[in-house]
Amino acid sequence: MKFMSRNSKKLKVFCFLDKALGRDTEIMLPVLHGLETAVACELQILFIWDIYKIEIEKPDLIILPNAKGHHMYFEIAKYAYQSDIKVFALESEGNFRTDGSFPYWGYNKDQFFYQDWVTAWSPRTLKYIKNIAPAEQKDKVVLTGATGFDRYVFGKFISKNEFLKKYNKEKYSKIIGYAGWAFGKIHSAHKKEALTHIFPDDIQKRYEWVEKYRLFVRNILKQAIENNPDVLFLFKRHPKEAFESDLSEGPNEMNELLNYDNVLYFRQDEQIHDLINVSDFWMGFETTTALEAWMLGKQTILINDDTDFPRNNLHIGSPKISSYPKLQEIINEYYKKQDIEIFNQPEFKKNRELLVSDTIGYADGKNHLRVLYFLLKTFDSIEPGHSQPKLNLRALRLYFLMHMGKYFYNKSIFEKLPYFRKTIYVFESMYLSGLKERRKEVRSDIDNFYKKHHIKEKLKARDWESILSLNFLKQT
């Protein structure tokens, strides 16, 4: 499909993020790079408390990682919609349960889509969203695939040697990674709202269940650490275990094991793809990062007694072990054969092949281009300079607090003051430090991918039939 050319004034585009690095950033950067490759625009990436800049600078288009999974993203989407500004939003959590147990609408209590398109990751979630969408909005729901997984096709990641040198752990040659499950949520200030899919009607049973399995996993990890001193264990906390205002964390399955030399624990200071890449194999209690590990050619193991609880179906792609001796057998087998035999069983292999389609739609590195196909439809429908942002007092208050408060910010003092403690996240995140460097890395990786497939020229010509499959285009 060809789009009209635009020779008039460049559109002003805002993209809002809640932090510089992490999941939301990774799903956005390929899309933003594709947009800048395809068209000329004025793009700004802003911290979410900078909503008032919408009133000041009057953008033509706002792009968000999601419009319901964070209260600020939802507020931005609704405010922009009410101000006649086009909104384009992705899905941060696109591999959700479709049995009705997942609170799909999140912070969007209106249950109305304020964005132009609803970008589903897979045919399964596409069908579900269409079923629950308002009747007049069903046509907004489109299949794009998951953009955050594209980097496993075109990206380059830190090597094991570089990583070990970075942390002065060169004496280790064996690395096993583990992705946290957010057990610590029940020890946070928001524990009543946490993990509600576990015994939704009995909060005490929920706490007991979570604590039982926290200790179950912790004890198995502890024995593995102690009995394999030549193996470096990498632990990655779940990105949503702690709330933004939490300065301390409660016990989880990992953070009571940090006094061992052969343990490294990461909150947000390393990207999940780098940790998976340097690991020999990857573990979890229940983790969506298993799919990311498969895309990097890593074998996966779940430390789980096959307990049944509401979850997505990714668990059927990994073998489960329920005791330390079983885990030790796998560790011994891997370092003897460089392979985990049970992982290669036909049942698991077949499940993984089906799960890739069922979870992320496509695994060709072009999901961000499928998103871009719809983003450019929105882009080309906009006349620049026509937005009329309304005065938003809450946005003005946040803007004032952040931009005036930064002159008085002192972390050591704010940590001691109850109300001010909650704002530390804002002042530590407002400059999106590290984003510029990550954008540069992604730009280099994608440019190489585009060069290999001649995508840049095709984007300029809007030659979608050469970029994407005919089957995809027929569906749109």
Side-chain angles (χ1 to χ4, degrees):
M1 177 179 180
K2 300 290 183 180
F3 291 80
M4 65 180 182
S5 62
R6 178 180 297 279
N7 298 314
S8 55
K9 181 181 176 183
K10 291 181 182 178
L11 292 188
K12 186 178 294 185
V13 182
F14 281 5
C15 173
F16 287 92
L17 293 174
D18 67 337
K19 57 176 70 71
L21 303 175
R23 178 192 62 184
D24 286 356
T25 300
E26 293 300 325
I27 71 174
M28 286 305 319
L29 290 185
V31 177
L32 298 179
H33 183 72
L35 177 65
E36 291 183 303
T37 301
V39 296
C41 62
E42 296 178 14
L43 173 66
Q44 287 188 58
I45 303 179
L46 303 169
F47 180 58
I48 50 175
W49 270 44
D50 259 327
I51 309 176
Y52 190 64
K53 278 200 172 183
I54 296 174
E55 164 70 17
I56 298 172
E57 299 191 28
K58 299 177 174 56
D60 302 293
L61 172 66
I62 288 175
I63 303 177
L64 300 169
N66 70 75
K68 58 185 175 58
H70 190 298
H71 68 94
M72 295 287 285
Y73 288 146
F74 171 67
E75 286 183 35
I76 292 168
K78 186 172 182 178
Y79 171 44
Y81 179 88
Q82 292 173 338
S83 301
D84 295 322
I85 299 172
K86 291 283 189 177
V87 178
F88 189 92
L90 282 74
E91 292 276 354
S92 297
E93 287 282 4
N95 180 35
F96 52 85
R97 299 182 300 277
T98 51
D99 59 1
S101 65
F102 179 77
Y104 172 79
W105 290 102
Y107 288 95
N108 184 352
K109 304 303 181 185
D110 301 343
Q111 297 192 8
F112 179 88
F113 295 120
Y114 291 105
Q115 68 265 42
D116 254 23
W117 303 97
V118 183
T119 53
W121 284 14
S122 68
R124 172 178 59 86
T125 55
L126 175 81
K127 180 180 178 181
Y128 180 82
I129 301 171
K130 277 185 174 290
N131 284 338
I132 65 170
E136 70 277 13
Q137 294 193 306
K138 292 185 185 297
D139 289 343
K140 283 189 170 189
V141 188
V142 293
L143 176 64
T144 61
T147 65
F149 289 85
D150 285 355
R151 68 191 189 274
Y152 294 103
V153 176
F154 59 65
K156 295 183 181 68
F157 310 112
I158 191 171
S159 69
K160 180 184 283 191
N161 288 338
E162 288 177 292
F163 180 85
L164 291 170
K165 184 176 181 181
K166 180 177 179 179
Y167 290 97
N168 298 313
K169 297 290 184 180
E170 292 99 324
K171 67 180 180 180
Y172 295 99
S173 61
K174 303 173 182 178
I175 301 178
I176 297 174
Y178 173 89
W181 189 74
F183 287 101
K185 278 189 173 184
I186 66 163
H187 298 282
S188 74
H190 304 271
K191 65 180 183 179
K192 289 183 179 179
E193 296 82 26
L195 303 172
T196 53
H197 60 289
I198 307 294
F199 293 106
D201 301 320
D202 192 328
I203 196 168
Q204 188 56 41
K205 278 188 178 181
R206 183 191 317 157
Y207 293 162
E208 291 171 359
W209 187 95
V210 173
E211 183 65 6
K212 171 188 173 182
Y213 282 102
R214 182 186 77 82
L215 295 174
F216 166 78
V217 178
R218 184 203 65 182
N219 292 339
I220 291 177
L221 291 175
K222 184 174 186 291
Q223 293 176 80
I225 292 164
E226 292 177 343
N227 292 312
N228 297 275
D230 62 332
V231 176
L232 180 64
F233 289 85
L234 307 183
F235 294 154
K236 181 69 165 72
R237 187 179 74 174
H238 191 283
K240 295 300 181 183
E241 177 174 287
F243 288 81
E244 294 154 351
S245 58
D246 292 339
L247 298 182
S248 60
E249 62 182 16
N252 57 34
E253 74 272 46
M254 303 165 286
N255 59 11
E256 295 175 315
L257 306 173
L258 307 186
N259 58 326
Y260 297 93
D261 180 73
N262 60 330
V263 169
L264 288 176
Y265 178 59
F266 300 97
R267 295 178 178 86
Q268 297 180 5
D269 36 352
E270 284 291 348
Q271 299 269 48
I272 188 68
H273 49 240
D274 283 327
L275 297 180
I276 295 173
N277 193 58
V278 301
S279 296
D280 298 319
F281 65 89
W282 192 249
M283 305 189 300
F285 170 72
E286 186 69 34
T287 177
T288 58
T289 63
L291 190 145
E292 297 169 72
W294 304 336
M295 294 189 72
L296 282 171
K298 306 292 181 175
Q299 297 177 313
T300 54
I301 296 293
L302 298 181
I303 303 175
N304 193 310
D305 65 359
D306 210 14
T307 182
D308 190 24
F309 62 98
R311 54 189 164 167
N312 65 54
N313 59 354
L314 276 179
H315 67 94
I316 66 174
S318 302
K320 302 176 180 68
I321 59 99
S322 58
S323 67
Y324 161 67
K326 289 291 184 182
L327 176 57
Q328 190 59 55
E329 286 179 17
I330 285 174
I331 293 173
N332 293 342
E333 178 188 18
Y334 182 85
Y335 288 113
K336 182 179 180 181
K337 302 179 179 179
Q338 301 298 300
D339 189 40
I340 301 172
E341 186 176 346
I342 190 174
F343 180 82
N344 298 318
Q345 288 184 355
E347 177 187 358
F348 290 121
K349 185 176 181 180
K350 181 180 178 181
N351 287 344
R352 288 192 294 272
E353 291 172 353
L354 294 172
L355 285 167
V356 170
S357 173
D358 190 59
T359 303
I360 64 171
Y362 308 88
D364 58 2
K366 296 182 179 180
N367 289 328
H368 72 284
L369 295 169
R370 294 181 179 90
V371 167
L372 185 64
Y373 175 82
F374 293 102
L375 174 54
L376 289 178
K377 284 190 174 186
T378 293
F379 189 93
D380 286 337
S381 71
I382 301 170
E383 286 299 325
H386 281 206
S387 63
Q388 297 294 325
K390 301 176 181 179
L391 176 63
N392 185 311
L393 293 178
R394 171 170 158 76
L396 177 60
R397 181 172 64 87
L398 295 178
Y399 185 85
F400 176 80
L401 288 173
M402 181 173 68
H403 287 284
M404 292 302 294
K406 66 186 179 185
Y407 297 111
F408 304 95
Y409 174 62
N410 183 302
K411 186 175 181 179
S412 61
I413 294 175
F414 276 39
E415 285 177 336
K416 298 178 176 65
L417 303 172
Y419 175 78
F420 292 90
R421 188 183 300 129
K422 296 180 180 180
T423 66
I424 290 177
Y425 151 74
V426 174
F427 296 112
E428 294 291 309
S429 305
M430 63 180 290
Y431 296 111
L432 297 175
S433 301
L435 177 62
K436 182 178 180 180
E437 292 75 15
R438 181 58 187 152
R439 284 193 76 192
K440 185 177 180 180
E441 292 171 354
V442 171
R443 185 180 295 115
S444 174
D445 290 344
I446 299 182
D447 280 342
N448 290 332
F449 180 72
Y450 283 9
K451 185 176 181 180
K452 178 180 178 181
H453 297 282
H454 308 288
I455 290 174
K456 185 175 181 179
E457 299 82 0
K458 295 172 183 177
L459 273 181
K460 293 288 187 182
R462 307 289 178 89
D463 184 7
W464 293 109
E465 291 185 4
S466 297
I467 299 173
L468 304 173
S469 69
L470 288 176
N471 285 339
F472 169 77
L473 295 173
K474 287 176 182 177
Q475 294 179 104
T476 60

